Amino acid sequence: MVRFPPILRRWMTLLVIVFVVLFVGSRIIVVMNSPSLYYYDEEEIQEGLWDGLLQLIQYNEEREESAPLANEISSYRSLQWSLIQSRKVEALSLTEDEQTIQIHLPGWDFTEYANPPEEQIDNTKEEFTFSDETRATKLPKMKYPVQNRFPIIIWWTPFTGHKHIVRQCGHGRCLFSHNRELKDHTKTRALMWYGTDLKFKDLPLPRQSKHDWALLHEESPKNNWPIVHKPIISLFNHTCTFRRESSYPITLQYLPSMEYLTAPLLFDVLEKNRFISEQGLAPVLYVQSDCDVPSDRDRYVKKLMEYIKVDSLGKCLHNKDLPDEYVDPLTMDKEGFHKIIAKYKFTVSFENAVCNDYITEKLWRTLSLGSLPIYMGSPSVQDWMPTTKALILANDYPTVEALANYIKFLDENDDEYEQYFDFKNPGKITNSLLKNTMKSRTWGVDDIEQENFIDGFECHVCDRVFEELLADAKRQKPPTFQANDSHYGCPRPQPAVPGMKMDNSLRSWVEEFDTRSAVIAKATQQMVKSGANSSRVLNDFIKKVFSEMKSNNFDHNHYENELVS
């Protein structure tokens, strides 16, 4: 037997100890930083967690081009977290409504796993691999036990970070999934869309009578005009939009809190006057980089510049540079950018489209920072203002020159100017609609202690699904949920400056509204109602609608005289 010298044996022993310590320490760190695999009893591992996780990856990352794995590890952990949270919710006691449905409706059992579908997807085929082809991994055959227990609601346009999660809502639990393969599952009761991503050649057809359709769109129609037309919006049962008439309204989506609105002025009127005289600031600020929009705001501001000095710091009508660190639009929430706005006495706060209740951060941020908004956008904006005197409405003035003259008057009369910020003082907000809406809303803005309106809308749809199931269970007439054009409708674009002829940009928006989007809306409605098996036939219905329009002597250029610049 070979014996090493004592000094060598001591060094070898030390190296072994160091190696063991490093190995154990690294494993402890990994475990501490990994999501727990236990949700109730540390002795009970979550049965089916990994099965569901692998199945999710297969369905959502390999078969769905609309939801690729941007980052495999983070997506994997997100899926794992969703499943863990789902198992916690699964373990909750049945709600009263779940018990009623379970007793009276055959096929519904919220307490036990039902038998998995007889046909299981064979994941051992070559095509079922991770999106990273260099690390392709064949997946074993798995199943979804959870999908047989709860009402299923599918995001047809994946919009949340939780690709497969069970949520506890007011009436009971629903499974929210990005998995389109569940479309024909017996438990699927609703499908959801995010408006920007809604594609009319990608609809789940034929539409099943038991399927509710839900639309979430907090933006203006600028990026998907057909939605504004009645034939499209009427296809939906549940809506979450800026309109107060929608089934889950989010009109105040850009107002975080009343405290945000009443935040103290960063600079008083005397300091703002000094910025004008010493730093050469204009009285009026305009910061927009989204140019030539449907509201026609750029042409209005260009006309305003003929009568009063305006600093335009964005790409639109640019005449003054921002500091380099704030050129990127993503920096607009930074404190330094906010201080730039707060220095100006007035800020042009025009929306990109004119729709009732469409009120964005362009207005709320300006009010919060203490720059007086010059506003054009929602015709109903005064319904939501803290007082009757909190902004300047451009449409209140017959001409741009008249507006400019009033701005000059306020610029020269500090006492009159300061009255517009009276709402900043304690107890001075007089608008009960604003106060009551903010007090009663169940979601928050940038508040980790509250759910956001996306989560809230998910539960809104889930609760309505339960209302329908409960009506069936009690042999009652089911509730009718039907959207209409008041849930989203916006008027035809028109020149922002009264009497001004349309330019090429505005003409294209009007043509989009009057012709293309209107035809798509009508054709889509006809396609869905016809019972078509695929939305790929949309072009056939578009041709049919155009043919009907021609037979009715429709003149594609019926407003040609109006379009001449």
Side-chain angles (χ1 to χ4, degrees):
M1 181 176 177
V2 178
R3 293 183 61 83
F4 295 103
I7 188 169
L8 184 57
R9 291 201 302 271
R10 286 196 294 270
W11 276 107
M12 291 176 65
T13 302
L14 181 60
L15 287 173
V16 169
I17 293 173
V18 170
F19 175 79
V20 170
V21 170
L22 290 176
F23 178 79
V24 173
S26 66
R27 301 313 300 166
I28 291 174
I29 292 174
V30 168
V31 171
M32 290 177 65
N33 290 329
S34 298
S36 172
L37 297 181
Y38 304 94
Y39 72 94
Y40 182 71
D41 187 336
E42 292 190 357
E43 298 297 324
E44 183 180 357
I45 299 178
Q46 292 193 79
E47 180 184 357
L49 171 64
W50 302 111
D51 287 1
L53 184 58
L54 291 174
Q55 185 82 345
L56 281 174
I57 293 174
Q58 173 229 314
Y59 274 134
N60 292 287
E61 313 302 353
E62 293 304 325
R63 306 190 69 178
E64 291 299 322
E65 294 181 0
S66 58
L69 267 177
N71 183 314
E72 185 176 312
I73 299 302
S74 62
S75 183
Y76 181 91
R77 291 192 181 280
S78 175
L79 292 171
Q80 183 179 344
W81 182 89
S82 295
L83 286 166
I84 291 171
Q85 296 302 113
S86 293
R87 294 303 295 259
K88 291 180 180 177
V89 176
E90 289 175 54
L92 297 176
S93 300
L94 267 65
T95 66
E96 181 178 341
D97 294 334
E98 286 176 331
Q99 292 178 31
T100 301
I101 293 169
Q102 181 167 293
I103 292 171
H104 296 287
L105 282 186
W108 288 93
D109 188 342
F110 295 94
T111 57
E112 299 291 341
Y113 286 132
N115 292 326
E118 293 182 3
E119 293 185 8
Q120 297 183 19
I121 301 298
D122 184 359
N123 299 342
T124 61
K125 295 180 180 179
E126 288 294 329
E127 64 265 31
F128 297 124
T129 58
F130 288 101
S131 56
D132 185 349
E133 295 181 359
T134 62
R135 292 188 289 135
T137 305
K138 293 181 181 179
L139 301 176
K141 187 181 294 186
M142 300 297 176
K143 60 182 181 291
Y144 273 180
V146 69
Q147 72 188 21
N148 299 296
R149 300 177 63 193
F150 308 109
I152 299 171
I153 299 173
I154 301 172
W155 274 103
W156 198 254
T157 53
F159 187 60
T160 67
H162 308 309
K163 297 178 175 65
H164 194 77
I165 189 169
V166 178
R167 234 183 239 297
Q168 171 71 62
C169 297
H171 286 289
R173 292 163 290 183
C174 287
L175 168 63
F176 292 89
S177 179
H178 290 184
N179 178 13
R180 290 187 172 191
E181 295 291 333
L182 298 176
K183 176 177 73 72
D184 297 318
H185 194 283
T186 57
K187 295 292 194 295
T188 297
R189 306 292 300 198
L191 299 103
M192 302 179 71
W193 281 263
Y194 177 57
T196 299
D197 300 329
L198 171 59
K199 297 178 176 63
F200 305 102
K201 287 188 177 181
D202 180 31
L203 298 176
L205 299 182
R207 181 173 183 176
Q208 299 183 36
S209 59
K210 67 174 182 175
H211 286 172
D212 285 356
W213 285 12
L215 174 70
L216 184 153
H217 198 42
E218 86 286 15
E219 293 284 357
S220 78
K222 177 173 170 286
N223 49 10
N224 206 345
W225 274 103
I227 298 175
V228 307
H229 296 287
K230 187 175 181 179
I232 288 294
I233 198 67
S234 63
L235 293 174
F236 293 94
N237 307 96
H238 322 292
T239 58
C240 175
T241 76
F242 49 79
R243 291 289 295 266
R244 72 186 82 180
E245 295 88 353
S246 77
S247 61
Y248 194 83
I250 50 172
T251 307
L252 301 179
Q253 59 184 302
Y254 293 101
L255 179 58
S257 65
M258 296 298 282
E259 291 72 24
Y260 174 84
L261 185 59
T262 58
L265 297 173
L266 293 180
F267 305 107
D268 63 30
V269 67
L270 295 179
E271 290 174 298
K272 292 181 180 185
N273 289 336
R274 190 171 71 251
F275 295 143
I276 292 174
S277 61
E278 296 180 1
Q279 299 182 13
L281 298 188
V284 182
L285 171 67
Y286 184 56
V287 188
Q288 292 298 334
S289 293
D290 187 8
C291 310
D292 299 322
V293 295
S295 66
D296 200 30
R297 62 191 175 198
D298 292 336
R299 291 203 301 160
Y300 192 104
V301 176
K302 185 176 181 180
K303 189 72 175 176
L304 182 65
M305 288 175 168
E306 296 177 8
Y307 303 104
I308 192 169
K309 185 179 179 183
V310 178
D311 284 346
S312 183
L313 307 185
K315 293 180 181 178
C316 309
L317 306 177
H318 180 81
N319 62 15
K320 188 171 184 177
D321 293 337
L322 277 167
D324 291 341
E325 61 267 34
Y326 304 120
V327 172
D328 188 338
L330 296 177
T331 63
M332 289 191 173
D333 286 329
K334 290 191 174 181
E335 182 179 353
F337 180 76
H338 289 178
K339 285 185 177 180
I340 293 174
I341 296 175
K343 285 184 174 182
Y344 284 85
K345 297 183 78 171
F346 307 88
T347 295
V348 177
S349 302
F350 285 13
E351 307 292 1
N352 64 32
V354 175
C355 303
N356 270 344
D357 292 343
Y358 180 59
I359 306 168
T360 71
E361 80 289 342
K362 297 176 186 64
L363 177 58
W364 297 118
R365 181 176 59 203
T366 305
L367 285 170
S368 174
L369 295 174
S371 181
L372 180 54
I374 305 165
Y375 185 80
M376 181 183 291
S378 168
S380 57
V381 67
Q382 283 286 25
D383 291 353
W384 301 102
M385 289 300 95
T387 65
T388 57
K389 195 174 184 179
L391 49 65
I392 300 173
L393 286 173
N395 289 336
D396 282 350
Y397 298 85
T399 65
V400 179
E401 183 178 10
L403 171 64
N405 288 336
Y406 185 68
I407 295 171
K408 291 176 183 177
F409 167 76
L410 291 179
D411 186 30
E412 296 168 358
N413 292 271
D414 292 345
D415 291 341
E416 292 287 336
Y417 175 84
E418 288 182 308
Q419 289 180 21
Y420 281 86
F421 298 100
D422 191 45
F423 70 88
K424 296 275 188 182
N425 297 313
K428 290 295 185 177
I429 292 181
T430 58
N431 189 335
S432 58
L433 175 62
L434 173 66
K435 291 190 289 186
N436 293 338
T437 302
M438 289 297 292
K439 184 177 180 179
S440 63
R441 78 179 184 187
T442 57
W443 45 271
V445 178
D446 300 327
D447 185 350
I448 60 174
E449 296 183 359
Q450 288 185 291
E451 68 176 13
N452 56 51
F453 63 74
I454 301 169
D455 297 337
F457 185 51
E458 285 186 335
C459 270
H460 173 73
V461 175
C462 176
D463 286 337
R464 283 188 156 190
V465 165
F466 266 90
E467 288 179 41
E468 294 166 340
L469 290 172
L470 281 168
D472 287 343
K474 296 177 180 179
R475 304 295 188 267
Q476 298 174 346
K477 182 180 179 180
T480 300
F481 301 120
Q482 179 68 54
N484 56 58
D485 51 359
S486 72
H487 286 221
Y488 190 78
C490 300
R492 181 177 187 252
Q494 61 182 5
V497 179
M500 182 177 285
K501 295 288 186 178
M502 294 187 187
D503 64 356
N504 289 335
S505 173
L506 186 58
R507 182 183 299 116
S508 67
W509 288 117
V510 171
E511 289 177 343
E512 172 70 25
F513 181 92
D514 282 348
T515 307
R516 181 179 176 275
S517 65
V519 169
I520 290 175
K522 190 172 182 180
T524 301
Q525 182 191 52
Q526 290 184 3
M527 176 181 66
V528 174
K529 290 189 173 181
S530 74
N533 291 323
S534 170
S535 53
R536 294 178 182 177
V537 300
L538 178 60
N539 283 339
D540 296 335
F541 284 88
I542 289 176
K543 292 176 183 177
K544 180 175 179 288
V545 170
F546 267 120
S547 177
E548 292 172 351
M549 295 167 74
K550 288 181 180 178
S551 67
N552 293 328
N553 297 319
F554 170 76
D555 180 6
H556 179 72
N557 298 316
H558 71 290
Y559 46 83
E560 184 61 34
N561 293 334
E562 214 175 304
L563 299 180
V564 176
S565 297

